[in-house]
Amino acid sequence: MVPFYAQDHDYSRFNVLVVDDIPINLTLVQKMLSKYNFAIRTAANGQQALDAVAAQKPDLILLDLMLPVLDGFEVLRRLRADPATEDIQIVILSALNSNEDVVKGFNLGANDFIMKPIIMQKLLSCVNTQMKLVEAKAGK
């Protein structure tokens, strides 16, 4: 199996925002990604996510759907409606996994959808793809 990224490479230039209202989920995703040196920030509800994006635009958002204050669908809708944030790579991580939820997420502009429980290799593969897209857009 090809490794996600070489562990000796510094990917701290990539800013990842993880949005989930369950602390153990935030910790799990942070642990999965931290060994690759991403700059990781977290938010526990939809409004905190929007505030975090306004403070510093992330390269990637890993977004839960079932959130207090504003749900993930509304966060996604608002981010895609704003020209300043419409191009952020957004991956939904959710236990909501009906066909309707998945289609709604993609129709609102999600770049990918990963169903919980999260399988580490699937998350890392998805993040790898999203980072390649970020690099391609930036010409890095």
Side-chain angles (χ1 to χ4, degrees):
M1 175 181 291
V2 176
F4 165 66
Y5 277 126
Q7 288 193 4
D8 61 347
H9 195 82
D10 182 11
Y11 289 92
S12 60
R13 65 191 166 118
F14 292 112
N15 185 323
V16 178
L17 176 63
V18 183
V19 185
D20 201 307
D21 61 321
I22 299 173
I24 191 73
N25 291 343
L26 290 172
T27 300
L28 176 69
V29 173
Q30 281 181 293
K31 283 187 178 188
M32 287 180 185
L33 297 180
S34 65
K35 62 182 150 183
Y36 300 104
N37 298 320
F38 289 100
I40 301 171
R41 297 179 298 143
T42 62
N45 67 53
Q47 187 58 56
Q48 285 180 6
L50 293 176
D51 293 344
V53 170
Q56 181 182 8
K57 183 178 172 183
D59 296 299
L60 172 65
I61 299 173
L62 301 175
L63 179 66
D64 187 24
L65 293 176
M66 295 186 291
L67 297 168
V69 185
L70 295 173
D71 69 24
F73 289 124
E74 181 61 17
V75 171
L76 182 56
R77 186 193 68 71
R78 290 185 188 192
L79 291 171
R80 292 301 187 229
D82 183 346
T85 60
E86 68 185 359
D87 63 339
I88 297 171
Q89 299 301 115
I90 302 174
V91 175
I92 293 172
L93 305 179
S94 184
L96 291 179
N97 58 16
S98 71
N99 286 338
E100 182 179 298
D101 293 322
V102 174
V103 169
K104 183 176 180 180
F106 281 122
N107 284 341
L108 287 171
N111 297 95
D112 209 339
F113 195 115
I114 296 178
M115 295 174 197
K116 291 180 181 177
I118 299 168
I119 298 168
M120 186 171 82
Q121 284 307 113
K122 185 172 184 176
L123 176 64
L124 295 178
S125 178
C126 178
V127 169
N128 183 31
T129 298
Q130 299 308 315
M131 293 301 94
K132 287 178 182 176
L133 292 170
V134 168
E135 288 179 322
K137 284 182 193 177
K140 295 179 182 176

